[in-house]
Amino acid sequence: MTEETLQVFIDGVSRYFEHTKDNDLRVGTPYLADNCAPVSMDYTGLIGVSGSNKGCVYFTAPKAMLRHLILSLGEPDTSDENMVDLVGEVANTISGNARRELGKNFMISVPVVVSGAPGKIHLPTELRSYVVPTTWRSYNAAVVICLQH
Amino acid sequence: MKLDFGKYRGIIVSVALFLLLDASVLLMNFYISFEISEDAVGVNLAGRQRMLSQRMMKSLLDLDAADSVEQRQLAMAELSQTVALFDNTLRAFASGGETLSAEGHGVMLGAVNSPAGRQALEEAKTLWLPFLQRLDPLIDRHSLGGDASYAARLHNAVAYGRANNLTLLRLMNALTVDLENVAASKAKRLRLIQTVGISLAVLNFFIIMFHFLRQLRESDSKIELARQETREILDTVNEGLFLLDRDQHIGSQYSHALLNILGQRELEGVAFAELLDGIVSDRDRNTAAGFIKLLFDPRKKQKLIGDLNPLRQVEVHIPQPDGSFANKHLSFGFSRVVIDGEIVHVLVTVQDISRQIKLADELEAAKVQGEEQLELLSTILQSNGDLLRHFLSNSFASFQKINGLLKQPAKTHQQYIDKANQIFALIHNYKGEAAALELHRFARQAHQFEELLDGLRRSAELSGNDFLGLVVHLNKLIAQTETIQGLVEKLGTLGLSGTSQVASSSATYAYPHWSLFAEQVAERQGKEVELLCSGFNDVPLPKTMEAALNTLTVQLIRNAISHGIETPEQRRLAQKPPRGEVDVRLLARADGSIQLSVEDDGDGIDRQAVIDTAVDRGLIDGAAAESLDSKAIMNLIFHPQLSTRSEVDEDAGRGVGMHAIREVVRELGGRVTIQSRRGRGTRFQLFFPAEINAVKSAA
């Protein structure tokens, strides 16, 4: 997996935040994480990738951030459903960006939103995933990329 | 469609026979009914003869008994009419001819042929002719009536009539009966013919029914059997099979495997382009449509256009119910189906060649990996197993530390620079150890890693995203280190190389690799050096301490050669032997503390060069440089961005070496001292407290 590929996924998230009022999504230093203990917060929007690179990419964020984000988008309803929708939308933007940039070798599935315990995300344990911490306002979220080459 | 007459000849002949029979019966019916109707006329006229014979007799008797002229004329008229009619009719019966019907029309009668009829007619003729001879004069002379001869002739006729009247009646009756019998026999024959004809027709019908029903049943069962066989083949075959018509639609029969391969439920009548939609690229789909069109063109040679098949080997992405995609490699084959010289269909075969492709890919990957592993393997086999294990465990520890550093949040540029510097120190030590063990591949990669870091350190503005390339590189390093560890473990179980476990005590610890390493560094720099080691096998050390000492020693040896030892030329000019010496000693003091010293007989530290470099790099300003004391100058050596070497190479130049050393020593709770005399040499002394050693060993 190349730096360029990773960048496409990170850009996907940044692209989503460009539409928010506070478009300053700050990208932290990426690091590696063992897949035995995947990074996961309250809500996770996950897209599966097949093709020459197999695996998944997900955006995970805490409730507080999503609530704030919903409000900043001018939507007063901060229900769980809306949070799920929002995370799904971020995942959708990631997948749209990846489709456009990476072409047909990356077959990307419809986003799935997982909420709650990190145990619900299963990643191939023999691989490490790239964790890209992001900060929006004072909230920490992350883009996690785990692709087999 | 052309009708196959041969196949249907039986039924055509049978039906024709059926019609012929019906027509024959109808024809016979016409003919015989016509004859019967003729016979009926005969029977009627024969009956009239009976009546005429009696009327004739009555007229004769009336004539005989007539009192007046009117009566006589009436009787005569009657007699004349009846005689003429009787005679005429009798002749017609006897030899065929015309007579008058009851209605007064002329009617043709055929001569009676039956023996009984002929006999009755002959007898009647025998009686009738004499009678007629007696009657004729009466009728002719009628106008002369009243004379004596007339009376005598009348009397004669009456007498003859009386004598033969009943016989004549009987004969005419016999004729009537005979004619009736002939008609009845004809009617009987007609019935018989009809019965036989209809029976034959019915028989024929049943033959047709049974024969053809059986044939139908047989052909039905043959068709069913063939259908069953086709179904079995289509259900069992592993390839996808189907036919395409000229409009490129899928036929009704296709193999079960096709559904599995393409993940579809129903394909009958589906357009081929629709089938490919979304699973192959639009370009391939359009090319395939054009290709199939060519296949239907009889002027194009199949062999020549075969290479145009865009789906010979194609990667498809089949949507799954859960929204994901199944990746497959498929091979589509196309063949014309020619019947009577006409291309009616194109047979398409679809094979799932994912496994073959995967195997080929794996083979290729294994080949590449094998080559890499072979290189690693030769390195491992040449290395000291224990050292290698040290190296590996050190490496993982370093990688973990690097990853930990990456993970630490940073906001300001300086924080990012610090992060880069800390990572640099770790990777630099790793590089040194890799080089010392002659793991050149790792040393090279660590060097690339350093280059990336160096790029970062020079950036005016740093952000987290800039570290992305570094993380990718780190992942690669970890993966390769894992590979080599896997190999070492495998070799360990095979009992190969020096990889068998040794006790944690370093009683047999040997450092031949340092000498080798020193020689290599010296060779690269055009220097000559001899490495002297002592004390390492006398001081028992815990594993962690061993690893740290190894890292430090390697780094210090490299520094001593790179920075201290002069080239043989320079040494000769300085009245020194051309071969420099690096003396490495490990001492254990009575209080348990450890002292490592690395001393070279090189040129010593050029304090002015250190100050100039520090000023050049902006680490200190010119004014501050003036007031630096000896200790402060020595301290500059440990700054992460100081190196007095003008060129960067695998061994030195980035100035991180001393910084990395101090980081490790600090982590172990030790301290570093430097003693240096210009032109005489430099001694680095590293002191480690006993408790650290004890704590580490307990851990």
Side-chain angles (χ1 to χ4, degrees):
Chain A
M1 172 132 60
T2 64
E3 189 183 339
E4 289 74 26
T5 310
L6 291 174
Q7 192 65 54
V8 168
F9 292 111
I10 299 170
D11 289 349
V13 183
S14 301
R15 194 178 282 263
Y16 182 84
F17 281 85
E18 277 169 18
H19 302 301
T20 64
K21 261 188 263 174
D22 311 87
N23 59 3
D24 59 336
L25 182 82
R26 280 160 34 84
V27 176
T29 324
Y31 61 92
L32 298 168
D34 272 337
N35 282 350
C36 313
V39 174
S40 160
M41 299 176 197
D42 297 334
Y43 285 101
T44 300
L46 189 141
I47 53 172
V49 178
S50 33
S52 51
N53 291 67
K54 228 181 243 102
C56 73
V57 176
Y58 63 86
F59 172 74
T60 184
K63 269 187 181 182
M65 171 177 167
L66 296 172
R67 197 174 294 125
H68 202 139
L69 191 54
I70 291 172
L71 293 171
S72 85
L73 289 167
E75 169 66 52
D77 178 9
T78 58
S79 62
D80 284 2
E81 289 76 34
N82 274 358
M83 291 194 196
V84 167
D85 286 352
L86 186 69
V87 172
E89 264 179 61
V90 177
N92 235 337
T93 314
I94 300 176
S95 92
N97 201 51
R99 272 201 196 100
R100 197 168 36 250
E101 300 289 329
L102 302 172
K104 100 179 206 351
N105 280 340
F106 275 80
M107 297 302 291
I108 295 166
S109 69
V110 181
V112 180
V113 177
V114 180
S115 62
K120 288 189 182 170
I121 299 169
H122 297 289
L123 302 172
T125 49
E126 73 278 11
L127 294 180
R128 284 170 293 276
S129 44
Y130 292 94
V131 181
V132 184
T134 57
T135 314
W136 181 76
R137 297 203 162 189
S138 57
Y139 305 105
N140 293 322
V143 186
V144 180
I145 302 145
C146 177
L147 295 177
Q148 213 169 16
H149 184 66
Chain B
M1 203 177 81
K2 272 164 81 178
L3 197 65
D4 183 3
F5 280 108
K7 195 169 158 188
Y8 300 106
R9 185 180 292 149
I11 197 160
I12 289 169
V13 168
S14 302
V15 171
L17 197 66
F18 180 76
L19 291 175
L20 188 69
L21 271 170
D22 282 353
S24 310
V25 169
L26 193 66
L27 215 63
M28 288 301 283
N29 202 8
F30 270 122
Y31 176 69
I32 295 172
S33 359
F34 179 70
E35 273 199 344
I36 289 173
S37 78
E38 273 190 340
D39 286 351
V41 172
V43 170
N44 273 344
L45 293 181
R48 192 176 69 181
Q49 289 296 79
R50 278 192 313 205
M51 180 271 289
L52 286 174
S53 71
Q54 297 314 297
R55 268 181 67 184
M56 212 156 46
M57 196 59 217
K58 178 179 170 279
S59 307
L60 199 58
L61 289 173
D62 282 351
L63 193 65
D64 192 31
D67 296 333
S68 62
V69 174
E70 288 78 23
Q71 284 178 347
R72 197 177 295 138
Q73 277 175 340
L74 266 173
M76 183 55 76
E78 174 80 18
L79 181 65
S80 136
Q81 201 185 344
T82 51
V83 166
L85 199 55
F86 185 86
D87 184 51
N88 208 7
T89 306
L90 193 65
R91 282 173 203 281
F93 273 129
S95 47
E98 192 176 359
T99 185
L100 286 174
S101 70
E103 291 81 26
H105 307 304
V107 65
M108 284 300 291
L109 278 179
V112 173
N113 294 321
S114 62
R118 288 251 32 116
Q119 194 185 347
L121 278 172
E122 287 304 322
E123 284 179 26
K125 244 162 98 180
T126 318
L127 286 178
W128 172 248
L129 285 176
F131 195 21
L132 188 62
Q133 280 168 2
R134 284 172 179 83
L135 288 170
D136 269 347
L138 280 176
I139 297 161
D140 288 346
R141 305 287 170 88
H142 166 243
S143 55
L144 305 171
D147 59 8
S149 63
Y150 175 79
R153 281 195 299 275
L154 180 61
H155 183 72
N156 188 13
V158 169
Y160 189 84
R162 277 193 174 138
N164 295 296
N165 172 37
L166 286 175
T167 314
L168 198 60
L169 177 66
R170 186 184 51 77
L171 286 172
M172 285 306 104
N173 192 47
L175 177 65
T176 308
V177 169
D178 178 57
L179 286 177
E180 276 175 355
N181 285 344
V182 167
S185 84
K186 277 185 184 169
K188 198 173 158 190
R189 199 168 74 226
L190 180 62
R191 277 200 300 279
L192 187 68
I193 287 169
Q194 280 177 337
T195 308
V196 170
I198 295 300
S199 302
L200 282 174
V202 169
L203 190 66
N204 190 19
F205 172 76
F206 280 112
I207 288 171
I208 292 172
M209 282 285 288
F210 287 118
H211 180 65
F212 290 102
L213 273 181
R214 203 186 64 225
Q215 268 196 357
L216 271 177
R217 243 194 343 260
E218 277 174 8
S219 73
D220 275 358
S221 71
K222 271 184 198 163
I223 289 168
E224 178 56 32
L225 202 68
R227 207 186 61 82
Q228 183 67 28
E229 282 179 6
T230 311
R231 198 65 259 162
E232 279 174 21
I233 292 171
L234 290 178
D235 282 351
T236 316
V237 73
N238 287 327
E239 283 100 25
L241 289 177
F242 60 92
L243 291 172
L244 282 181
D245 61 16
R246 205 169 273 278
D247 296 331
Q248 305 197 5
H249 282 86
I250 295 171
S252 60
Q253 304 269 307
Y254 44 82
S255 64
H256 190 68
L258 185 66
L259 298 176
N260 292 338
I261 292 172
L262 298 173
Q264 301 268 347
R265 285 169 179 276
E266 182 63 50
L267 289 172
E268 184 177 348
V270 173
F272 189 54
E274 196 184 318
L275 183 76
L276 298 180
D277 191 25
I279 65 169
V280 302
S281 70
D282 290 352
R283 200 172 60 106
D284 279 352
R285 194 188 56 187
N286 294 336
T287 317
F291 172 67
I292 297 165
K293 208 169 156 191
L294 285 181
L295 281 174
F296 273 108
D297 184 348
R299 288 168 300 177
K300 304 282 186 289
K301 294 245 181 290
Q302 188 167 349
K303 270 187 189 166
L304 294 180
I305 56 173
D307 289 341
L308 301 178
N309 176 6
L311 306 177
R312 187 188 300 277
Q313 184 181 317
V314 64
E315 187 177 2
V316 300
H317 311 286
I318 295 165
Q320 300 294 297
D322 63 359
S324 66
F325 290 90
N327 228 37
K328 288 182 183 179
H329 288 268
L330 300 183
S331 172
F332 285 76
F334 298 88
S335 325
R336 286 169 167 166
V337 180
V338 182
I339 295 178
D340 294 335
E342 197 190 345
I343 303 165
V344 288
H345 284 114
V346 164
L347 173 71
V348 186
T349 54
V350 191
Q351 273 182 295
D352 188 346
I353 51 166
S354 310
R355 219 174 115 75
Q356 289 95 308
I357 297 284
K358 195 178 163 209
L359 281 175
D361 285 352
E362 280 174 359
L363 210 64
E364 184 55 35
K367 198 177 144 197
V368 172
Q369 205 190 3
E371 283 166 6
E372 280 175 11
Q373 289 195 345
L374 205 65
E375 188 191 328
L376 292 173
L377 205 62
S378 67
T379 313
I380 295 168
L381 288 170
Q382 284 167 18
S383 326
N384 176 305
D386 240 12
L387 290 177
L388 191 61
R389 260 193 294 278
H390 273 297
F391 168 72
L392 291 174
S393 78
N394 275 2
S395 303
F396 286 123
S398 299
F399 298 147
Q400 210 167 356
K401 279 180 196 164
I402 292 173
N403 199 37
L405 286 168
L406 285 168
K407 203 171 169 179
Q408 270 172 24
K411 279 184 179 171
T412 62
H413 176 69
Q414 191 52 48
Q415 282 174 329
Y416 282 119
I417 290 285
D418 288 348
K419 192 180 268 207
N421 284 336
Q422 285 170 300
I423 294 172
F424 210 124
L426 286 164
I427 205 72
H428 194 69
N429 286 339
Y430 167 82
K431 183 172 90 170
E433 285 185 52
L437 278 173
E438 287 195 276
L439 296 170
H440 297 302
R441 166 191 286 271
F442 291 89
R444 270 198 308 275
Q445 284 185 343
H447 190 67
Q448 287 167 9
F449 200 96
E450 283 185 355
E451 303 231 310
L452 283 173
L453 272 169
D454 208 43
L456 289 183
R457 293 199 304 176
R458 287 170 201 275
S459 304
E461 195 61 49
L462 270 183
S463 78
N465 206 34
D466 297 323
F467 286 77
L468 199 57
L470 216 60
V471 186
V472 173
H473 208 95
L474 177 66
N475 196 23
K476 223 183 275 176
L477 270 176
I478 297 177
Q480 286 199 348
T481 313
E482 281 171 346
T483 307
I484 206 165
Q485 190 184 34
L487 284 171
V488 169
E489 278 168 11
K490 265 188 210 162
L491 291 172
T493 55
L494 292 172
L496 288 171
S497 88
T499 53
S500 57
Q501 292 286 339
V502 292
S504 67
S505 152
S506 56
T508 57
Y509 207 62
Y511 299 90
H513 70 295
W514 288 345
S515 305
L516 200 66
F517 172 60
E519 271 169 33
Q520 283 170 353
V521 175
E523 199 184 322
R524 276 200 290 272
Q525 309 208 1
K527 297 174 181 176
E528 286 177 24
V529 72
E530 185 167 4
L531 184 75
L532 308 168
C533 287
S534 60
F536 286 92
N537 288 331
D538 305 330
V539 184
L541 290 172
K543 286 271 179 195
T544 46
M545 199 58 205
E546 253 177 32
L549 280 181
N550 182 50
T551 304
L552 294 167
T553 312
V554 164
Q555 212 58 261
L556 288 169
I557 293 172
R558 179 159 51 188
N559 275 358
I561 300 168
S562 300
H563 299 284
I565 304 289
E566 312 93 324
T567 60
E569 196 61 31
Q570 289 166 334
R571 286 180 70 87
R572 254 193 300 275
L573 288 172
Q575 309 286 317
K576 290 182 187 177
R579 196 176 179 83
E581 269 186 17
V582 177
D583 189 348
V584 184
R585 293 171 192 218
L586 187 70
L587 296 168
R589 291 179 181 275
D591 62 357
S593 67
I594 294 166
Q595 183 187 327
L596 171 71
S597 76
V598 178
E599 186 176 353
D600 66 73
D601 65 347
D603 201 28
I605 293 171
D606 181 350
R607 287 170 172 77
Q608 195 51 51
V610 173
I611 294 168
D612 292 348
T613 312
V615 173
D616 275 358
R617 300 259 164 102
L619 307 175
I620 52 167
D621 58 33
E626 297 289 325
S627 58
L628 284 177
D629 62 11
S630 181
K631 198 177 171 190
I633 292 169
M634 286 304 176
N635 245 341
L636 278 175
I637 292 173
F638 294 106
H639 195 280
Q641 286 176 39
L642 190 123
S643 174
T644 52
R645 275 279 297 259
S646 53
E647 282 174 14
V648 175
D649 62 26
E650 211 176 300
D651 300 314
R654 291 208 177 89
V656 80
M658 292 313 299
H659 170 70
I661 289 168
R662 194 167 66 175
E663 287 298 303
V664 176
V665 174
R666 269 187 183 167
E667 203 180 309
L668 294 166
R671 63 191 169 87
V672 187
T673 63
I674 308 173
Q675 291 161 301
S676 181
R677 280 184 67 189
R678 194 80 181 110
R680 298 293 291 274
T682 308
R683 181 162 66 187
F684 286 88
Q685 283 187 298
L686 280 53
F687 302 94
F688 301 100
E691 57 272 27
I692 292 298
N693 198 2
V695 169
K696 294 278 176 186
S697 62

